[in-house]
Amino acid sequence: MTEKLNLSGPADLLATIAHLLGRTPTESFVILTAQGGALGATVRVDAPAHIEPMNYAQTLTSYATNDEEATASYVVVYSDEDLDNYAYAAHVAALVNELATARMPVRNVWLVTSTHWADFGTDDHNSLDEIRDSNANATLVYNGSAQDVDVYNPALLGTWALSVQAPAGSEEDRAAACTAWAAALDSTETPDTQTMRELAGAFQHKMIRDYLFCETINTQNGNFADVMLGKFNGRPDWERVDRAEALAFELMKAVPSGQRAPMLTLMGWLEWLKGRGTQADRYLKLAASDVEDFRLAVLLRELIGRGYIADVARDSTTSYRRRII
Amino acid sequence: MATGYIRTEADQPAPDTSPAEEVAELLLLTAGEPTGPVNISWEQEPGNI
């Protein structure tokens, strides 16, 4: 479908957010950037816990300025926190000021709770049905947009599998693992059980694992720092990335718990490259629980928890795109 | 331009640190305050507002 989505009011715009982000946020601040009558970036961040309003506002504005074309913005607060006292009012005021200073003045601020939505700072109680029944939601659902479905489904993992052996880590081991991983990513077939177990074994060796991470992205320049940060030569083949996540989950089925952390970490890193910090954090947390304090998962989780955005996700021309219309 | 880092003697990595772990460790040395994960997406087909 090539026609544009017409957003004729707040309910339409609020309905669109869940489709852009893949799920409806909770306890979050969302900024939508705009240029004229077109939307740009959608940025979601956790609602502030103990962050001073000005610091919070400056941090969020720095994220929004990734859209260099933006000339305006919208702010949406998703929260059920202390509604009688307009929780986050100071943070919203600071954010409105900062976004204006950044030359993307805020057109509207809305509050969305689990029971209603309203213009922020008012006592309105508009029904959430208005969002669900909006033209935008109907159009997006009709065109196939839906909430994200997790690749990771613990019910499908099974309860028993033989452990795999990590290779010794020679240059030949690394080359063989990279070749097998690339072949699996380039194929539309699911690898046989033996190949799955060999690949799952290769992921257990941390040096080979890192090379397999790099091999997943075929627009990278070979520099480990650049690859890990999502600084690539061009737009990644995102279908290959999606396939890598699906394959990682298949590899998890081939091994017992205690050997699934490397694949979960890959999935978390790939979600982060896609700009999905929340989902990345979830996978990395699972990795660090599958193998206690799994080092790469712990480090990436801490980095993501400090608001670090992958370079590839900052740029509209290279970023992952959910197909919503 | 590729990303490059210089380690001081005080922050040398552990001997078994992998390249990916080393990159993450280095970034954390200068990372900001904890704010929670960020989600960012870009409109695929700009809507008319």
Side-chain angles (χ1 to χ4, degrees):
Chain A
M1 183 172 173
T2 55
E3 68 192 65
K4 287 190 173 181
L5 180 65
N6 284 311
L7 307 175
S8 58
D12 277 340
L13 195 59
L14 294 173
T16 305
I17 291 172
H19 293 274
L20 289 168
L21 292 174
R23 59 194 65 208
T24 303
T26 57
E27 296 303 325
S28 302
F29 273 45
V30 170
I31 300 174
L32 297 113
T33 64
Q35 181 188 24
L39 289 179
T42 306
V43 181
R44 188 223 64 89
V45 185
D46 289 354
H50 305 290
I51 308 176
E52 190 264 328
M54 183 56 77
N55 287 347
Y56 187 72
Q58 288 175 342
T59 302
L60 263 62
T61 300
S62 73
Y63 300 145
T65 54
N66 282 300
D67 183 357
E68 295 175 353
E69 308 292 320
T71 55
S73 58
Y74 299 86
V75 172
V76 189
V77 177
Y78 289 85
S79 179
D80 285 311
E81 190 77 25
D82 198 8
L83 299 177
D84 292 336
N85 293 304
Y86 304 113
Y88 308 126
H91 292 82
V92 168
L95 183 56
V96 168
N97 278 335
E98 284 299 312
L99 287 167
T101 302
R103 298 177 185 274
M104 49 178 86
V106 177
R107 291 176 177 167
N108 296 89
V109 184
W110 293 292
L111 170 71
V112 180
T113 76
S114 58
T115 58
H116 67 275
W117 69 273
D119 284 321
F120 191 86
T122 70
D123 294 326
D124 294 347
H125 276 68
N126 302 304
S127 170
L128 296 179
D129 289 347
E130 293 177 21
I131 299 173
R132 191 196 61 201
D133 298 338
S134 66
N135 284 333
N137 195 46
T139 303
L140 290 165
V141 170
Y142 177 78
N143 282 287
S145 176
Q147 298 251 323
D148 281 343
V149 177
D150 268 355
V151 171
Y152 175 79
N153 181 349
L156 299 178
L157 282 176
T159 54
W160 188 88
L162 277 173
S163 297
V164 290
Q165 184 73 38
S170 66
E171 180 60 27
E172 290 73 23
D173 291 335
R174 182 190 66 75
C178 285
T179 300
W181 181 236
L185 291 175
D186 290 337
S187 170
T188 54
E189 307 284 318
T190 302
D192 60 44
T193 304
Q194 178 65 21
T195 304
M196 292 282 227
R197 287 182 55 78
E198 286 173 4
L199 279 170
F203 269 101
Q204 308 302 313
H205 190 289
K206 63 160 63 176
M207 300 298 176
I208 295 177
R209 172 203 67 196
D210 287 4
Y211 279 97
L212 295 176
F213 274 43
C214 291
E215 190 68 40
T216 306
I217 307 296
N218 54 9
T219 54
Q220 42 95 353
N221 62 11
N223 176 315
F224 258 114
D226 284 351
V227 176
M228 287 309 297
L229 302 180
K231 192 180 288 184
F232 306 138
N233 289 336
R235 187 170 194 268
D237 179 348
W238 287 114
E239 287 184 11
R240 181 183 172 95
V241 170
D242 283 341
R243 180 155 172 76
E245 278 193 64
L247 269 174
F249 183 68
E250 292 302 313
L251 298 186
M252 287 170 61
K253 294 179 187 173
V255 297
S257 62
Q259 290 196 320
R260 293 168 179 161
M263 284 75 85
L264 280 164
T265 304
L266 173 66
M267 292 166 71
W269 178 64
L270 294 175
E271 285 293 307
W272 178 62
L273 294 181
K274 290 178 177 178
R276 299 171 172 179
T278 308
Q279 192 63 357
D281 182 69
R282 177 165 172 262
Y283 288 151
L284 295 169
K285 185 178 180 184
L286 286 165
S289 104
D290 183 64
V291 174
E292 192 176 348
D293 296 329
F294 191 72
R295 186 81 185 131
L296 183 56
V298 169
L299 289 167
L300 286 174
R301 192 163 179 238
E302 184 161 353
L303 199 61
I304 292 168
R306 295 191 187 200
Y308 212 95
I309 303 174
D311 276 41
V312 68
R314 294 173 183 270
D315 185 337
S316 65
T317 64
T318 57
S319 67
Y320 184 82
R321 301 291 182 96
R322 290 191 85 249
R323 179 161 294 282
I324 66 166
I325 193 166
Chain B
M1 183 177 161
T3 307
Y5 297 97
I6 297 172
R7 289 267 198 185
T8 65
E9 279 187 19
D11 53 26
Q12 290 302 310
D16 66 339
T17 300
S18 79
E21 291 166 351
E22 187 175 353
V23 170
E25 279 184 3
L26 278 166
L27 275 176
L28 281 170
L29 294 175
T30 55
E33 295 294 306
T35 56
V38 179
N39 297 59
I40 184 166
S41 87
W42 295 84
E43 180 51 307
Q44 179 174 289
E45 187 63 45
N48 291 325
I49 308 168

